[in-house]
């Protein structure tokens, strides 16, 4: 399949503090590359390059000095890029001679963003679901997942690939993946309650309140419902540096509310709501499980697999031991608890039951890959399983890995210097 060149609609450049020239780009691309007549999408990206002035003014003309591009893909799936100057590692990369393109993947940020209101313009539920399928992992996903897809099908457009959040599982069904991820979330819960044993009773007290009058009684500031199961989703932060402490602060505040007032106050509800982004990034919920699907339906995999792990069951609060928080999983009941997801429950359910998902990876091509690949893989990654990452690394010919237990999934943000040093050493140094 020939991929047409994106049409440039608009470009505007600005200087920002930090000696950076930021250019805002709008492009037009086909919604469905296999069917160009299906319409177009408007994509947005910001580029960044150094803006230092040289002694010779002609040397500052960007048209005369075309630097190689490095494209940055945000995680998610369903999250937009921040402004380039807000990334801690940007100068490290620019100093190596690249210019950077921070692309809002389709459906996110300013790239024809998906929301309940924008989907509603498309028609009824089946039409909306069909439209959403144009935004799946072959176009949008965790950055590393997209990179593996590009290596499989569009490798001729790549010079090098850098992965800073692990590698995608290849050839595995969603149930197998989520079973392993629940095991990793259990480990982080054990670490949480070991650090904050006093929260065992506090969490049960909060969950008991949320269950007392039903899952839709306590309302969030955004008109959603704060059920016990939604509160458990705070565990999604356990995989980040300081994530345990963040959740503890919320538990402490909520528990104090109940001790003093007997109900959750607005500041506490607001803090809980801000800790999840499913209403603002609906793709994150709707297309989360399909990024693992090739020729099969997800059928709410994480929800079904959860039955194998009673530690996460909040229905029996009188049992001994803690109630565990859940991790990066999506569930069908979220279509009732989150105000934006309620509005698109119909197409979301169609997506969950749809088995018609094309291949994401070509293992034969990956086995003969010639594009240099450098990947950071974290032993204690709660989101992207270490074992699955290493299996995939072995399937990609020439993939070099920096393996570490000194950082979690967000290592490139929180341990920037260390992670960048070792990943780029894979590229620039030799151990012979």
């Amino acid at each position: 399949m020939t991929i047409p060149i994106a049409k440039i609609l608009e470009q505007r450049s600005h200087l920002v503090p930090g000696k950076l020239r930021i250019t805002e780009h709008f492009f037009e691309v086909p919604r469905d590359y296999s069917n160009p007549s299906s319409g177009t999408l408007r994509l947005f990206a910001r580029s960044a390059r150094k803006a230092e002035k040289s002694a010779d003014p002609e040397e500052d003309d960007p048209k005369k000095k075309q630097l190689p591009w490095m494209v940055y893909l945000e995680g998610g799936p369903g999250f937009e890029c921040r402004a380039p100057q807000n990334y801690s590692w940007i100068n490290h990369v620019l100093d190596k001679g690249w210019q950077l393109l921070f692309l809002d993947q389709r459906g996110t940020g300013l790239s024809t963003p998906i929301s309940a209101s924008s989907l509603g313009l498309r028609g009824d539920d089946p039409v909306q679901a069909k439209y959403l399928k144009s935004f799946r992992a072959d176009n949008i996903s965790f950055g590393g997942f997209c990179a593996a897809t590009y290596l499989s099908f569009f490798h001729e457009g790549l010079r090098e690939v850098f992965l800073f959040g692990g590698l995608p599982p290849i050839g595995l069904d969603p149930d197998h993946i989520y079973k392993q991820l629940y095991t990793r979330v259990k480990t982080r819960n054990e670490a949480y309650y070991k650090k904050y044993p006093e929260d065992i009773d506090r969490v049960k007290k909060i969950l008991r309140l949320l269950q007392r009058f039903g899952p839709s009684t306590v309302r969030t500031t955004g008109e959603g419902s704060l059920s016990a199961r939604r509160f458990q989703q705070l565990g999604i932060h356990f995989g980040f540096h300081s994530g345990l402490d963040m959740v503890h602060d919320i538990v402490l505040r909520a528990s104090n509310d109940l001790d003093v007032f007997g109900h959750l106050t607005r500041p506490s509800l607001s803090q809980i709501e801000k800790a999840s982004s499913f209403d603002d990034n609906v793709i994150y919920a709707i297309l989360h499980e399909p990024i693992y699907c090739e020729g099969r339906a997800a059928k709410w995999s994480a929800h079904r697999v959860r039955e194998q792990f009673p530690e996460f069951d909040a229905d029996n609060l009188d049992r001994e031991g803690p109630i565990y928080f859940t991790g990066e999983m999506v569930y069908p009941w979220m279509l009732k608890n989150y105000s934006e997801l309620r509005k698109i429950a119909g197409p979301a359910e169609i997506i969950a039951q749809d088995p018609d998902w094309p291949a994401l990876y070509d293992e034969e091509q990956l086995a003969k890959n010639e594009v240099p690949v450098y990947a950071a893989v974290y032993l204690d990654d709660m989101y992207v399983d270490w074992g699955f990452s290493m299996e995939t690394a072995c399937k990609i010919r020439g993939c070099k890995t920096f393996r570490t237990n000194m950082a979690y999934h967000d290592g490139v943000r929180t341990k920037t210097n260390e992670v960048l040093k070792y990943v780029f050493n894979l590229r620039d140094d030799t151990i012979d």
Side-chain angles (χ1 to χ4, degrees):
M1 178 174 61
T2 302
I3 303 298
I5 297 174
K7 178 181 178 182
I8 299 174
L9 300 178
E10 181 181 329
Q11 292 177 314
R12 305 276 183 177
S13 296
H14 312 277
L15 297 178
V16 302
K19 302 177 182 178
L20 297 175
R21 176 180 296 276
I22 306 299
T23 303
E24 298 163 349
H25 309 262
F26 284 97
F27 307 95
E28 184 177 274
V29 300
R31 178 173 71 83
D32 183 348
Y33 287 101
S34 64
N35 180 19
S37 64
S38 64
T40 60
L41 297 176
R42 176 180 160 110
L43 301 187
F44 174 75
R46 295 182 182 93
S47 62
R49 59 184 295 157
K50 298 175 71 173
E52 297 174 339
K53 295 181 179 180
S54 62
D56 183 355
E58 291 189 4
E59 291 294 322
D60 295 326
D61 186 353
K63 296 180 180 179
K64 294 184 177 181
K65 190 177 181 181
Q66 180 64 42
L67 300 174
W69 285 101
M70 177 182 283
V71 180
Y72 174 74
L73 300 176
E74 187 61 75
F79 290 98
E80 64 274 17
C81 291
R82 292 169 284 148
Q85 61 268 28
N86 293 331
Y87 287 89
S88 60
W89 45 263
I90 185 172
N91 284 315
H92 185 103
V93 174
L94 294 180
D95 287 343
K96 286 186 171 293
W98 281 289
Q99 56 183 327
L100 278 156
L101 186 72
F102 294 80
L103 176 66
D104 283 356
Q105 297 179 60
R106 53 171 57 198
T108 75
L110 303 185
S111 293
T112 317
I114 294 292
S115 64
S117 61
S118 65
L119 268 182
L121 299 174
R122 295 288 158 185
D124 59 14
D125 290 351
V127 173
Q128 293 180 37
K130 183 178 180 180
Y131 179 75
L132 278 167
K133 292 189 69 174
S134 302
F135 294 77
R136 212 253 317 215
D138 28 1
N139 287 296
I140 176 172
S141 183
F142 304 106
F145 287 41
C146 277
T149 300
Y150 295 163
L151 286 168
S152 294
F153 303 115
F154 311 108
H155 51 90
E156 64 276 1
L158 301 173
R159 178 181 294 173
E160 299 173 286
V161 172
F162 297 86
L163 306 174
F164 290 99
L167 294 96
I170 293 179
L172 301 176
D173 68 85
D175 288 13
H176 184 69
I177 294 168
Y178 280 112
K179 185 175 181 179
Q180 184 61 26
L181 291 181
Y182 271 116
T183 301
R184 288 195 165 271
V185 177
K186 281 179 59 178
T187 300
R188 293 303 290 158
N189 271 275
E190 291 164 1
Y192 176 79
Y193 284 116
K194 182 178 180 180
K195 184 172 186 177
Y196 297 110
E198 65 272 24
D199 284 359
I200 293 176
D201 291 333
R202 287 172 174 164
V203 168
K204 286 185 175 180
K205 177 173 59 178
I206 296 166
L207 296 178
R208 191 169 279 112
L209 169 82
L210 296 176
Q211 289 179 342
R212 185 179 303 165
F213 303 110
S216 60
T217 300
V218 179
R219 312 292 288 184
T220 66
T221 56
E223 298 304 315
S225 302
L226 180 58
S227 64
R229 292 177 295 189
R230 179 169 176 174
F231 186 81
Q232 286 178 276
Q233 287 188 297
L234 290 172
I236 195 172
H237 295 282
F238 282 173
F240 296 130
H241 287 270
S242 300
L244 303 185
D245 306 320
M246 172 192 168
V247 174
H248 167 70
D249 288 345
I250 294 176
V251 169
L252 180 62
R253 173 184 283 273
S255 177
N256 185 67
D257 278 355
L258 300 189
D259 289 341
V260 177
F261 306 112
H263 68 273
L264 297 176
T265 62
R266 179 184 174 89
S268 295
L269 290 170
S270 179
Q271 196 172 51
I272 294 168
E273 187 171 40
K274 289 176 182 177
S276 67
S277 54
F278 292 109
D279 276 331
D280 292 333
N281 302 87
V282 296
I283 284 182
Y284 190 36
I286 299 172
L287 295 180
H288 197 283
E289 292 194 348
I291 67 171
Y292 298 116
C293 295
E294 297 176 275
R296 71 184 78 204
K299 297 182 179 179
W300 301 109
S301 176
H303 182 67
R304 291 183 288 100
V305 172
R306 179 175 172 170
E307 296 178 359
Q308 304 175 32
F309 296 89
E311 302 92 337
F312 296 93
D313 184 5
D315 291 338
N316 183 10
L317 298 177
D318 295 325
R319 74 170 189 265
E320 291 293 325
I323 305 297
Y324 282 1
F325 291 87
T326 53
E328 192 176 40
M329 295 91 174
V330 295
Y331 304 98
W333 53 261
M334 293 168 59
L335 304 180
K336 297 179 181 178
N337 284 184
Y338 288 84
S339 57
E340 279 291 289
L341 294 182
R342 283 184 200 140
K343 302 170 187 175
I344 54 176
E349 185 60 40
I350 293 173
I351 290 288
Q353 304 302 328
D354 192 339
D356 185 22
W357 299 104
L360 291 168
Y361 313 109
D362 182 340
E363 292 193 46
E364 183 178 338
Q365 175 59 42
L366 294 177
K368 59 183 181 182
N369 170 64
E370 296 184 359
V371 179
V373 180
Y374 314 101
V377 183
Y378 310 105
L379 181 65
D380 300 313
D381 196 325
M382 191 184 83
Y383 310 104
V384 182
D385 181 74
W386 157 277
F388 295 157
S389 284
M390 293 309 302
E391 288 176 10
T392 297
C394 292
K395 293 179 179 181
I396 302 176
R397 180 176 177 268
C399 179
K400 296 182 178 181
T401 56
F402 163 54
R403 290 161 267 182
T404 181
N405 63 353
M406 74 172 191
Y408 295 123
H409 184 77
D410 58 340
V412 74
R413 293 198 301 267
T414 56
K415 304 282 186 178
T416 304
N417 292 333
E418 297 95 325
V419 172
L420 288 180
K421 172 187 174 181
Y422 287 108
V423 170
F424 277 100
N425 278 349
L426 296 174
R427 174 183 185 265
D428 302 329
D429 204 352
T430 179
I431 61 173
D432 291 330

